[in-house]
Amino acid sequence: MSSVYAWLGVRRIINGKGPATRLSGGTIRPEVLAAMAEAAGACVDMAELQAAASRRIAEATGAEAGLVTSGAAAGLLLATAAAVTGLEPGRMARLPDTANMPNEVVVARAQRNFYDHAVRGAGVRLVEVGLPDRYAGAGVRDAEPWEFAEAIGPATAAVLWVADANAQPSLARVAEVAHEAGVPVIVDAAAQLPPAANLRRFIAEGADLVAFSGGKALGGPQASGILAGRRDLIMAAALQMLDLDIWIEQFRPDPAFIDLARLKGLPPHGIGRPCKVGKEQVAGLLTALELFLAEGDTARQARWTGRLGELRVLLEGVTGLRTELVPGPVPVLQLQLDREAWPVVMALEEGQPSVRLDVEHHAQGRLLVNPVCLEAQDVQPLAERLRAVLE
Ligand SMILES: *Cc1c(COP(=O)(O)O)cnc(C)c1O
């Protein structure tokens, strides 16, 4: 399997950081790979395949419909485009020019992040509300529902809410305000799986569209994602992603997915064209979703904890290191060093094999091992590298 990397002269790394895009995401299970290989061996009509995906995603999320995208960021771009255009092919044709369309997206200032570029890519302007006063330590408040209400107006296309356990206000309260004004809420839940319950949670709490990564802990192909939500918005998103270079008579999508009776005509290729996925990604993502649900949180956590436990045993007695298993939806092994962590991080990254860890808390001398991308064969060499660098 690694011979393709040898051929290209690319080093295999030990990924203890988790499914980061720069580290090529996670590894995928043989069942997922098999589905992708099988799908690759026969051609299908992509609108028919995406309609089938829509039914599967609807079942898994409780949403009316869904779409397989090339990632959560692609989902955010498509979601925003759908909120701006609705089912108007004329508007779809004009994006990213949003003149004379609702072209503002309201977001809590504290929730601005690198990925909201995908939202802005649809041609909208972000309107920030709230002051994250909690940051100062003395403060307790963040954006409040009345601030969303005040910022929403005729130019508002959507409200963006970035899922996080500490997000203020809650999704339910933001959705209440947005829906009162007739504005949809787009949720970025890219990294919110597991727990599996989050597949349904955001829709249940009022999201009109929610984007998940397929290439993170869900275990799908790295360049895949899920967009789930309202039927009309998924329809608008799909129309801006699918290849529509055909006569309308040739286009016969499942009306539950794309209802041609609701359209004036077919738009040209849309702004979402660069978000396209292949049949292999759709098959792989849907298979990963089934496996993710079938395994369940308890068994998944036990599998991950088991792998971290093996590593922990191998690290016993390493000087200047204390380890602790930290439970959670994704358990991690915490490595508390008795020295400055940064030189250790550099030595691990530059070593052979290169080891990448979660370095978020390096300033406290703490490194984390995330088990999601750690293969059984990685445990021994990872322990050896840590021992060599620390001793
Ligand atoms: C990872 C991530 C994304 C992007 O997801 P992709 O599937 O890589 O496109 C977007 N938002 C947040 C909060 C993320 O963590």
Side-chain angles (χ1 to χ4, degrees), residues 5 92 115 145 152 261 292:
Y5 292 134
M92 293 177 190
Y115 299 103
I152 293 172
F292 179 83

Side-chain angles (χ1 to χ4, degrees), residues 19-21 69-76 111 113-116 118 162-163 188-192 211-216 221-226:
T21 296
T69 67
S70 55
L76 294 174
Q111 297 193 357
N113 65 82
F114 287 1
Y115 299 103
D116 62 36
V162 183
D188 177 353
Q192 300 299 312
F212 297 102
S213 285
K216 290 182 178 163
Q222 158 63 1
S224 70
I226 291 173

Side-chain angles (χ1 to χ4, degrees), residues 337 339-349 359 362-363 365 367:
L337 311 183
R339 72 195 83 171
E340 219 189 306
W342 200 247
V344 174
V345 171
M346 287 294 109
L348 288 169
E349 295 199 355
V359 302
H362 75 87
L367 303 176

Side-chain angles (χ1 to χ4, degrees), residues 146-188:
W146 66 265
E147 294 176 287
F148 281 85
E150 197 162 72
I152 293 172
T156 308
V159 170
L160 172 66
W161 192 84
V162 183
D164 181 79
N166 301 315
Q168 283 184 22
S170 69
L171 174 57
R173 296 192 69 191
V174 170
E176 197 178 285
V177 169
H179 293 163
E180 222 160 85
V183 166
V185 179
I186 297 169
V187 172
D188 177 353

Side-chain angles (χ1 to χ4, degrees), residues 14 21 33 43 47 71 102 108 118 139 148 169 220 234 250 259-260 303 372 380:
I14 293 180
T21 296
L33 266 181
C43 295
F148 281 85
I234 291 294
Q250 297 174 286
D259 183 2
L260 291 179
R303 174 164 59 85
V372 175
Q380 182 82 35

